[in-house]
Amino acid sequence: MTSSDAPAKASPARARLLEAASRIFYSDGIRHVGVDRVIGEAKVTRATFYRHFPSKEDLVLAYVERRDQEIRSAVTEAFRTSTDPKDLLIMMMTGIGSEICRPGFRGCAFINAAAEYPESEHPVRKAVRAHRSWFSQTVLNLVTAAGCADREHTTALLVLLRDGAMVGGDLGDPAAAREQLLLTVSTLLSPAQAGGVVPSPRP
């Protein structure tokens, strides 16, 4: 990015476009939402849209990356509240449980985006993989610091629990999915010895 690009990327119009797209893509799906609808809800001109996003695919990628940064920031903030890795793992899963039960929940934004972009080398699919890699590494760091005996296996189970709860909360009873998620996580972590130095999550 050149210095001349910076003001445009930080403009209110771009922010409105991304906010509108994030809301609509999540609620209604990506492929079925056209550029005109995003432009209309963001109250910008078509020329303004294409000045910030050369194509719809660029907007979709920005949407996925925005959600990724929101979650990373939330986790970083949580790391400031405790140094106990077991508590932080439960805090992360409790946050996921709360998300499942919020009004308008429609599943995992990353799983949904990946389903609409099956091509393995598509930039959107790569962005989804980058987020999942970060999440898995963060969980692994905490599992290791908590002293779990089989850290790789425990990490894989926690990631699968997260994915299953997201799908279950969308397709079934959100409260039941949250309850089962937290109960299973608590049982899974009960033998672990909490303590140790918690590594900071990568930004």
Side-chain angles (χ1 to χ4, degrees):
M1 182 180 69
T2 65
S3 58
S4 62
D5 293 330
K9 289 187 177 297
S11 76
R14 184 182 190 277
R16 290 201 306 275
L17 281 163
L18 189 50
E19 178 63 33
S22 297
R23 183 178 65 255
I24 301 168
F25 287 161
Y26 182 73
S27 65
D28 296 351
I30 297 171
R31 297 286 195 184
H32 297 296
V33 173
V35 166
D36 286 342
R37 184 177 172 191
V38 176
I39 289 172
E41 297 215 11
K43 295 181 171 56
V44 301
T45 65
R46 180 175 289 272
T48 297
F49 174 87
Y50 285 110
R51 183 164 64 249
H52 293 290
F53 301 101
S55 71
K56 179 185 173 182
E57 301 301 288
D58 291 297
L59 178 61
V60 175
L61 180 59
Y63 153 64
V64 173
E65 291 176 338
R66 178 197 195 209
R67 184 63 184 136
D68 172 57
Q69 287 303 316
E70 288 172 346
I71 294 174
R72 293 189 191 217
S73 295
V75 171
T76 298
E77 188 62 31
F79 269 66
R80 297 191 178 103
T81 67
S82 176
T83 57
D84 186 308
K86 182 179 176 182
D87 286 349
L88 287 168
L89 279 167
I90 292 175
M91 190 184 305
M92 286 177 65
M93 295 301 170
T94 299
I96 291 168
S98 296
E99 182 180 358
I100 290 169
C101 292
R102 69 173 171 78
F105 178 73
R106 198 184 150 273
C108 170
F110 302 99
I111 293 175
N112 293 347
E116 296 202 54
Y117 288 87
E119 308 91 342
S120 64
E121 296 306 307
H122 192 284
V124 170
R125 190 84 175 199
K126 288 181 177 180
V128 170
R129 284 203 301 270
H131 171 77
R132 291 180 63 80
S133 177
W134 166 83
F135 180 76
S136 295
Q137 185 61 53
T138 300
V139 172
L140 177 60
N141 290 346
L142 291 172
V143 164
T144 300
C148 294
D150 191 341
R151 59 193 189 119
E152 299 286 349
H153 180 62
T154 301
T155 297
L157 285 177
L158 288 170
V159 173
L160 284 173
L161 282 169
R162 179 262 179 207
D163 290 345
M166 283 284 186
V167 175
D170 181 29
L171 301 180
D173 181 347
R178 176 179 61 182
E179 181 181 357
Q180 289 301 318
L181 170 67
L182 298 181
L183 176 63
T184 307
V185 168
S186 179
T187 301
L188 185 62
L189 296 177
S190 60
Q193 298 298 317
V197 178
V198 179
S200 298
R202 291 177 294 176

